Amino acid sequence: MLIVTGGGTGIGRAVALAGQAAGKRVLVTGRRSEPLAALSDLSEQTGRSSGRIEHLVCDNADVDDVGRLADRVTEPVHGLVLAAGGNPATGRPDPASLRQVAELYQATLDSNLRSTVLTLAALSGQLADDASVVCFSSIGAEYSSGFYGPAKAAVAAYAAGQAAELGPRGIRVNCIAPGYITDTEFFADQMRSERAEQLRQQTALGRVGHPDDVVALVDFLLSPASRHITGQNLHLNGGAFTTR
Ligand SMILES: NC(=O)c1ccc[n+]([C@@H]2O[C@H](COP(=O)([O-])OP(=O)(O)OC[C@H]3O[C@@H](n4cnc5c(N)ncnc54)[C@H](OP(=O)(O)O)[C@@H]3O)[C@@H](O)[C@H]2O)c1
């Protein structure tokens, strides 16, 4: 079974559809029911393989919701893709008080780090012995201002620690740090065309990323072909940021 958090839209949705096409049973989560139901409907209509996509409305940063997710899982989890996340600061005015600073800080950490931590902790016992876990950091962890970058840096650090914890069971944990990926809800209609062009020009390849670019790396990390790769933070950004 493949579980994809934040699977109703963007990268998670593309991962779920690829899982279905590969014949997997996929369970997607998200806080809004509409995109999840639409994806499940699409999955039934296309019926292009023996795979299927089920959904559960679940705030992955909420202890009770994540507990319900763990109760729903009745078979070994071979793939766990923790795509739930985002930047709550997008489209909002800057915090105008210390209380608002604290609220934005908490919302950003909850959406990205807490959702990852709680979901992995809740499902740890249900992971198969050859399971692969994929977390989501961001190029923003390298230089983003505000709290999104720090939250994503923490996700990458957490993933590395979990790789050490779960490695003795044969379970691998890696992190993907995407650059700008189009066709997602991440920017919530706030991405101006000038800014998108700027980001394209920052890549070495002169192209922006698409969810399918991420799917290719996720599929590799979920497959036995990556059996000796764990504890890594893999950048996927067309060369906009290099590690050397
Ligand atoms: N797009 C980019 O350029 C980019 C770049 C770097 C990193 N990333 C990361 O890639 C991952 C996937 O994002 P995306 O680009 O595909 O954007 P997206 O379309 O906004 O997808 C994020 C999904 O996460 C869900 N989500 C957010 N908080 C959640 C929570 N607490 N519990 C459950 N679901 C939650 C959202 O649905 P609900 O609102 O319905 O819950 C949404 O479906 C994120 O972690 C993001 O930070 C994206």
Side-chain angles (χ1 to χ4, degrees), residues 6 8-12 29-32 58-61 83-86 111-112 115 136-139 148 152 178-181 184-187:
T9 65
I11 294 167
T29 70
R31 293 166 300 181
R32 291 165 298 159
C58 168
D59 180 346
N60 288 87
S111 177
N112 295 284
S115 65
F136 273 85
S137 182
S138 168
I139 193 172
Y148 180 69
K152 288 303 200 186
Y180 173 37
I181 307 293
T184 74
E185 293 189 358
F186 181 80
F187 297 97

Side-chain angles (χ1 to χ4, degrees), residues 37-77:
L39 180 58
S40 289
D41 286 351
L42 176 68
S43 134
E44 272 178 32
Q45 284 160 22
T46 54
R48 52 190 150 168
S49 71
S50 57
R52 65 183 193 274
I53 300 176
E54 299 161 28
H55 70 268
L56 179 70
V57 175
C58 168
D59 180 346
N60 288 87
D62 181 89
V63 170
D64 294 333
D65 276 13
V66 174
R68 275 188 282 277
L69 169 63
D71 291 343
R72 167 84 176 259
V73 176
T74 52
E75 60 185 80
V77 178

Side-chain angles (χ1 to χ4, degrees), residues 90-101:
T90 301
R92 288 194 199 169
D94 287 342
S97 68
L98 198 51
R99 184 167 302 282
Q100 287 179 8
V101 169

